[in-house]
C-alpha cells in the first residue's frame, strides 16, 4: 500500500528505538494521537487494538508517512539532546474533560528542565486539592514524553508514579538535566 493510501486510512503508526526502549508513535490527520512505552510486539499489538477500538479505524503501519515524519524527527532530536520541547500538532481525541485540561496545562506550562508537583498542577487548572485526580490524569496520558507527565513529581520531592516505570522516569528527567545521570 502506498503512503498516500495509508494516510487516507486515518491513522498510522511506527515503532522507533529510543534511549528508553522502543516507542510506538501513532498519528491521525489531526496530529500525534498516541505514544506507547516499551513497544515490544505484545505491547504494540495491545496498544493498536485499543487504538482501533477508540478511533474506530485500525491504524496502519507506515513509518514513512508524512503524518509521522515530524514526530519521529522531533523524538529523535529530543533523545539526542538537540531538542528540549516538542512542537507538534496533537490529536487530543483520546482524552477529555479534567484530564485534557491538566495535560494541556502540563504541555504548555512545564518546560523542559523543570518539574511540577501534582498539587501545584491541580491548582493551575483551578482544582486545588485534586492532586490525586492529577495523578490519574498522568496515568491516562496518551502522549507521554511529548506531553511530559514525567515532569510531575510529589510535593515532598518523591518521584511519584509513572506508567513507563520509575527507571524510565529517572532517565527522562536525567536527559532533561533535572536529575544526575546514574553512575552505572
Amino acid at each position: 500500500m502506498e503512503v498516500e493510501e495509508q494516510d487516507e486510512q486515518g491513522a498510522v503508526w511506527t515503532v522507533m528505538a529510543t534511549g528508553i526502549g522502543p516507542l510506538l508513535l501513532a498519528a491521525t490527520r489531526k496530529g500525534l494521537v498516541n505514544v506507547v512505552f516499551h513497544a515490544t510486539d505484545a505491547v504494540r499489538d495491545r496498544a493498536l487494538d485499543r487504538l482501533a477500538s477508540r478511533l474506530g479505524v485500525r491504524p496502519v503501519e507506515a513509518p514513512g508517512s508524512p503524518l509521522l515524519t515530524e514526530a519521529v524527527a522531533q523524538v529523535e532530536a529530543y533523545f539526542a539532546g538537540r531538542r528540549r520541547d516538542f512542537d507538534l500538532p496533537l490529536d487530543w481525541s483520546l482524552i477529555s474533560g479534567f484530564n485534557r485540561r491538566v495535560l494541556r496545562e502540563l504541555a504548555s506550562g512545564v518546560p523542559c528542565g523543570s518539574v511540577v508537583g501534582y498539587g501545584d498542577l491541580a491548582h493551575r487548572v483551578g482544582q486545588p486539592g485534586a492532586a490525586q485526580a492529577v495523578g490519574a490524569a498522568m496515568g491516562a496520558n496518551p502522549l507521554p514524553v511529548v506531553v511530559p507527565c514525567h515532569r510531575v513529581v510529589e510535593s515532598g520531592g518523591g518521584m511519584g508514579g509513572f506508567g513507563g516505570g520509575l527507571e524510565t522516569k529517572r532517565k527522562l528527567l536525567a536527559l532533561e538535566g533535572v536529575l544526575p545521570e546514574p553512575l552505572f
Side-chain angles (χ1 to χ4, degrees):
M1 189 179 293
E2 294 296 317
V3 169
E4 289 93 23
E5 290 175 34
Q6 292 169 338
D7 291 347
E8 292 297 314
Q9 301 274 326
V12 294
W13 66 272
T14 192
V15 172
M16 62 183 294
T18 71
I20 57 168
L23 284 182
L24 179 140
L25 303 181
T28 67
R29 288 182 292 274
K30 293 178 185 174
L32 190 66
V33 71
N34 202 200
V35 177
V36 178
F37 291 115
H38 316 299
T40 59
D41 291 348
V43 169
R44 179 202 64 215
D45 291 345
R46 281 193 305 273
L48 292 171
D49 288 344
R50 274 192 315 273
L51 267 175
S53 128
R54 302 274 314 272
L55 296 174
V57 61
R58 179 95 183 154
V60 176
E61 184 175 16
S65 168
L67 298 177
L68 290 167
T69 304
E70 187 59 24
V72 168
Q74 288 190 26
V75 169
E76 285 174 346
Y78 171 80
F79 281 102
R82 296 187 315 268
R83 173 174 278 282
R84 302 209 16 105
D85 287 300
F86 297 91
D87 181 23
L88 295 168
L90 301 177
D91 178 342
W92 293 95
S93 64
L94 298 181
I95 198 110
S96 62
F98 176 80
N99 290 356
R100 184 185 289 190
R101 284 196 342 259
V102 169
L103 292 172
R104 283 182 180 265
E105 173 60 30
L106 175 63
S108 65
V110 183
C112 187
S114 65
V115 294
V116 66
Y118 293 94
D120 294 335
L121 196 50
H123 185 72
R124 287 185 187 193
V125 296
Q127 297 291 319
Q132 287 183 327
V134 167
M138 296 305 103
N141 182 3
L143 296 161
V145 181
V146 175
V147 176
C149 52
H150 59 278
R151 297 180 190 156
V152 183
V153 297
E154 294 175 350
S155 60
M159 293 285 285
F162 193 62
L166 289 182
E167 184 57 31
T168 299
K169 187 171 188 170
R170 281 186 196 94
K171 286 179 180 181
L172 291 168
L173 291 173
L175 176 67
E176 296 183 0
V178 175
L179 293 176
E181 290 285 345
L183 296 175
F184 45 88

